[in-house]
Amino acid sequence: MTPFDTVAIVDWSSGNDTGPKPRRDAIWIGQTRNGRDSEPYYSRNRADAEAYLSKLIEKELSAGRRLFLGFDFPFGFPTGFAQGLAGKSDPFSVWDWLEARIEDSPRSNNRFDVAAEINAHFPGIGPFWFNGLKRDVPGLPRRDIRNGHGMAEKRDCEGQTRGAFPCWQMGGAGAVGGQILTGLPVLNRLRRRYHDNLAVWPFEACEAAVTLVEIWPGLINPVVKRAEASGGIRDAHQVRLLARAVAALPPDALAAMLDVHATEEGWIMGLGHEDQLQNAAEEQQPLRPPPLRNDCFALPAGVDWTPVEDALRHLQDNLHPVVSTETLPLADCLDRVLATGVAARRANPPQANTAVDGYGFAHESLGSGDQVLPLVDGRAAAGRPFGRALPPGHALRVLTGAALPKGVDTVILQEDVTLGDGKIAFRGGIKPGANTRRAGEDVEKGDEILSEGRVLTPADLALASATGLARLPVRSRLRVAIISTGDELREPGDEAGPGQIYDANRPLLLSLARKFGYVAVDLGRVEDDREALRRVLDRGSVEADVILTSGGASAGDEDHVSALLNETGAMSQWRIAVKPGRPLALGLWQDTPVFGLPGNPVAAMVCTLIFARPAMRRLAGETWRAPHAITVPAAFEKSKKPGRREFLRARLRDGKAEIFKSEGSGRISGLSWAEGLIELPDGEIKVQPGDPVRYLPFTAFY
Ligand code: AMP
Ligand code: MG
């Protein structure tokens, strides 16, 4: 069978609307599409979830993708139930029966009454029990006093698990009865709405585009537990991990798990294969995103010289992260790219505390004018709470960072009181709440503290730690392979004969890659020989996520980089309206993106900073952004013709931008002299000394 393109896992809930703020014990939907996880979706009620799932199904159908849609409640009941309720042993007769009776809205539903109505179809007391309502529901016992109803307590599959609840219990921690009664009507509607395109496992063959499958997060519990250590909401971890587990299963393992005989009872997918599921869910197993599309570098045809902006927009739109995701302890996260946004596990500060050393009291207990308050024995210090409530009309010695005990909402600075005789005296007029920090005034629990694509700074790690996070999901570091091409190149230290030059680009590009925070892979020099270059590119595609070559990127006889990339059919010559710059050859070599940079060192550096750098940000999972430029007065004079954007080697002195004395594109000394670039606009311009110009310090690219 074909593997699924998209896996979505739903953690259902039978309760009422849970409000706008993501919380546990609500509905959560985890998703992995083409091997890439997305942040779990929080759904506040079933109507919203049903709408979301319908939209998801439609999106997948129109994109021609196959969807695995898992739900964490039983699709069937113990054998004999369908016959007893609906007169047929067909499980869908129960789905129809329930859909006709369940009334559901975000504020209330009639699941307990429907459970009682079902009980009336069976002899004795039960099979459903537990009434979560204040009012009695005739026919639905509050406690388990069931007997004589004739139904098995568990389905076959539940007999083989530990911790799975029987479907008869309508409430209490872990119970699943209410979820079945509120869930199956929704599934039944999806089934009718998308009939030919949707199958229900294991009752129907899984050949349709969409398959509904019963799953159970309990099967990967150890992995969920470990993930919870990094904070976040358990339900969100469950659906996220289960989605990636199903998505990461080898096709034959998935096929084996789905190879279950259709029964009236249904089955929990993966039961008996827990090890395989857990392995597939494991955080440490990096999940690799899909490769880039073959035409990702194809610029629109017919444009002679592409403006810089268009070239950049093309890169932004057509590239996506190519590196996998791993979860690491904070200590290993500096300078890494955050793979998904993360939320505070705890508020900061977690409880109200004092911002100064002083005396705390209840503002309410103050009279007007100057104050005298008796001190109680003891004190509150950071990490050493007072431990009981402060009686009204008293004051307590408090030290910076101490949690405010009950009865304290205001603190007076120790410098502002006179102390004596077991009392403090101070002037009136202090404001309520003075010198205190409110719980959560900095960050509330559940707030997104860091967003996806951020390169983690020391302060970010402080914030993550302060809000209770021990580990963060980060991208693997982008590996950048560097290759120099040209018969004329020699290694520094070697003999160099006439016509030979020492390689300047490799040290330049290797160290730029490191400055950008990537892993630089040195693939050496290659002569202008197609087969030798082919072998090095092969190596690059294995050892790196992106390859930067310099030289041989034009269309001449010895331009083997473009010739080889052309062979793959995924190459594009980029003629960008930029100076300095020569054609760039962009392509894929065995799915690995290749930037064929000009050989000329000045052009190689400018093209790397202006084009390869933002492209690599995208590949590395970083947020796309332009380098921060500053506007400064020019210390030079320069006229330029319209048509090309121009970058000049420049540096700031006395607050003004100077430019290098020569624009010669082979002048490596100018690169070394410069501390940044002046960016002159595409159009015609005459710069006079003192005119404002855009200056991009090299540090803006790092
Ligand atoms: P190409 O793009 O191969 O035609 O090279 C353009 C110019 O850049 C030629 O003058 C090359 O010798 C020079 N060049 C190419 N690669 C390097 C390198 N790695 N270091 C210094 N100069 C180079
Ligand atoms: Mg060359």
Side-chain angles (χ1 to χ4, degrees):
M1 63 170 289
T2 3
F4 296 92
D5 304 291
T6 304
V7 176
I9 301 291
V10 186
D11 182 337
W12 200 247
S13 160
S14 60
N16 294 339
D17 187 282
T18 42
K21 197 163 164 181
R23 41 160 283 189
R24 59 179 302 162
D25 297 332
I27 299 174
W28 283 89
I29 303 173
Q31 253 182 76
T32 298
R33 179 175 291 116
N34 290 329
R36 295 214 285 162
D37 296 351
S38 48
E39 264 298 275
Y41 173 76
Y42 163 76
S43 181
R44 57 187 289 177
N45 61 52
R46 283 177 296 284
D48 173 77
E50 184 171 346
Y52 179 89
L53 292 172
S54 301
K55 241 199 248 148
L56 171 66
I57 291 174
E58 272 149 35
K59 183 160 133 197
E60 299 308 300
L61 287 178
S62 66
R65 289 190 288 254
R66 293 198 69 209
L67 171 66
F68 177 110
L69 195 47
F71 292 86
D72 70 336
F73 55 81
F75 288 3
F77 289 86
T79 306
F81 177 78
Q83 185 72 42
L85 181 72
K88 285 192 253 174
S89 60
D90 172 8
F92 294 128
S93 64
V94 176
W95 293 31
D96 290 335
W97 192 96
L98 285 172
E99 190 196 337
R101 281 161 188 84
I102 283 287
E103 290 159 19
D104 199 356
S105 81
R107 285 203 176 165
S108 68
N109 65 69
N110 64 347
R111 66 187 190 276
F112 295 107
D113 299 288
V114 171
E117 190 184 343
I118 296 174
N119 280 353
H121 284 72
F122 294 85
I125 305 177
F128 283 98
W129 71 281
F130 194 108
N131 172 6
L133 302 177
K134 283 217 175 71
R135 67 172 164 88
D136 285 335
V137 178
L140 184 66
R142 285 195 184 273
R143 276 177 297 126
D144 190 5
I145 52 164
R146 297 172 300 160
N147 69 64
H149 56 74
M151 286 290 108
E153 185 60 3
K154 289 181 169 181
R155 299 182 293 157
D156 271 353
C157 57
E158 282 143 8
Q160 298 184 25
T161 65
R162 282 201 300 142
F165 268 60
C167 51
W168 309 124
Q169 189 180 329
M170 288 296 295
V176 72
Q179 297 181 35
I180 309 177
L181 299 199
T182 55
L184 290 181
V186 174
L187 300 200
N188 209 38
R189 280 193 288 277
L190 294 179
R191 197 175 142 244
R192 278 189 290 107
R193 209 172 295 150
Y194 304 106
H195 51 103
D196 283 344
N197 288 316
L198 184 148
V200 180
W201 177 88
F203 309 132
E204 299 171 314
C206 312
E207 275 143 19
V210 181
T211 307
L212 307 190
V213 180
E214 177 187 340
I215 46 84
W216 184 47
L219 298 183
I220 59 161
N221 208 29
V223 188
V224 173
K225 273 201 167 142
R226 278 196 292 280
E228 275 187 283
S230 61
I233 295 171
R234 182 185 176 84
D235 317 47
H237 283 304
Q238 288 182 330
V239 294
R240 178 177 61 81
L241 291 169
L242 204 47
R244 68 187 280 161
V246 172
L249 282 172
D252 53 335
L254 178 65
M257 291 184 200
L258 290 173
D259 184 18
V260 167
H261 265 294
T263 64
E264 176 192 338
E265 295 191 343
W267 192 261
I268 298 167
M269 193 203 93
L271 192 61
H273 303 267
E274 286 83 350
D275 283 353
Q276 261 173 320
L277 260 185
Q278 286 171 24
N279 278 340
E282 204 54 66
E283 294 276 16
Q284 290 316 320
Q285 175 179 309
L287 200 58
R288 240 191 119 69
L292 297 169
R293 287 164 53 112
N294 242 3
D295 59 355
C296 65
F297 292 123
L299 284 182
V303 181
D304 216 17
W305 288 95
T306 306
V308 172
E309 284 328 310
D310 293 4
L312 288 175
R313 194 165 327 107
H314 185 91
L315 292 172
Q316 180 178 8
D317 291 347
N318 289 278
L319 299 180
H320 62 68
V322 296
V323 285
S324 50
T325 297
E326 54 192 333
T327 302
L328 295 182
L330 290 186
D332 298 330
C333 290
L334 182 64
D335 292 335
R336 298 291 289 258
V337 180
L338 195 64
T340 58
V342 292
R345 204 182 170 196
R346 195 172 192 230
N348 182 49
Q351 63 278 107
N353 64 62
T354 167
V356 298
D357 290 345
Y359 298 88
F361 45 81
H363 192 270
E364 213 177 51
S365 64
L366 299 183
S368 57
D370 291 351
Q371 305 291 324
V372 176
L373 293 179
L375 279 174
V376 294
D377 281 344
R379 58 170 212 172
R384 309 229 171 246
F386 181 56
R388 56 202 156 88
L390 182 72
H394 288 70
L396 170 72
R397 174 73 171 139
V398 294
L399 298 174
T400 308
L404 300 185
K406 230 179 149 133
V408 175
D409 59 15
T410 305
V411 173
I412 184 146
L413 213 58
Q414 63 187 20
E415 289 83 346
D416 293 345
V417 306
T418 12
L419 177 67
D421 205 10
K423 291 184 186 134
I424 54 166
F426 54 96
R427 298 233 173 268
I430 188 166
K431 295 218 170 63
N435 298 314
T436 65
R437 306 170 180 140
R438 194 167 46 74
E441 70 173 22
D442 179 25
V443 178
E444 294 280 7
K445 179 177 173 179
D447 282 355
E448 184 174 273
I449 50 164
L450 298 167
S451 56
E452 177 179 340
R454 195 180 164 83
V455 180
L456 293 164
T457 66
D460 291 346
L461 303 184
L463 178 60
S465 179
T467 53
L469 296 167
R471 302 166 69 82
L472 292 174
V474 296
R475 297 275 181 188
S476 303
R477 286 170 64 196
L478 189 76
R479 297 165 305 165
V480 184
I482 311 291
I483 303 169
S484 285
T485 73
D487 284 339
E488 72 279 29
L489 300 181
R490 286 292 172 274
E491 284 307 282
D494 288 355
E495 281 300 304
Q500 297 183 323
I501 61 172
Y502 291 117
D503 186 352
N505 290 347
R506 222 161 85 247
L508 173 73
L509 297 174
L510 284 167
S511 40
L512 278 175
R514 289 191 194 106
K515 279 273 193 194
F516 299 153
Y518 305 139
V519 179
V521 181
D522 185 359
L523 293 186
R525 270 179 305 116
V526 208
E527 286 170 7
D528 288 317
D529 173 276
R530 212 160 286 192
E531 290 320 304
L533 183 59
R534 189 192 298 278
R535 283 191 296 274
V536 181
L537 287 174
D538 282 346
R539 227 185 103 194
S541 71
V542 174
E543 293 180 20
D545 304 303
V546 55
I547 302 172
L548 303 187
T549 67
S550 67
S554 301
D557 291 349
E558 295 298 335
D559 287 317
H560 300 288
V561 174
S562 24
L564 276 177
L565 286 176
N566 245 333
E567 269 181 29
T568 70
M571 208 259 320
S572 193
Q573 275 283 342
W574 279 30
R575 286 146 53 87
I576 305 172
V578 64
K579 187 180 167 197
R582 290 275 301 276
L584 296 180
L586 281 80
L588 294 181
W589 188 262
Q590 288 163 18
D591 290 340
T592 303
V594 181
F595 275 82
L597 299 162
N600 192 310
V602 177
M605 178 157 172
V606 169
C607 289
T608 300
L609 295 179
I610 305 300
F611 302 107
R613 172 55 167 147
M616 289 192 287
R617 275 194 205 281
R618 197 95 180 85
L619 299 173
E622 293 165 60
T623 309
W624 179 274
R625 66 173 176 85
H628 299 299
I630 54 173
T631 303
V632 294
F636 60 91
E637 200 180 313
K638 153 107 190 156
S639 343
K640 93 173 250 306
K641 290 198 272 299
R644 289 208 282 174
R645 187 165 304 189
E646 232 175 286
F647 292 94
L648 308 173
R649 282 153 283 179
R651 63 185 195 185
L652 286 189
R653 287 296 179 269
D654 301 327
K656 298 197 187 88
E658 338 181 301
I659 54 171
F660 189 57
K661 58 182 193 261
S662 155
E663 288 178 23
S665 62
R667 299 271 200 128
I668 304 172
S669 68
L671 285 178
S672 162
W673 172 93
E675 293 161 10
L677 299 171
I678 288 293
E679 180 177 5
L680 297 178
D682 299 357
E684 182 176 358
I685 189 171
K686 280 196 172 66
V687 179
Q688 295 295 327
D691 286 354
V693 285
R694 259 169 81 80
Y695 176 70
L696 291 157
F698 288 143
T699 52
F701 296 95
Y702 302 154

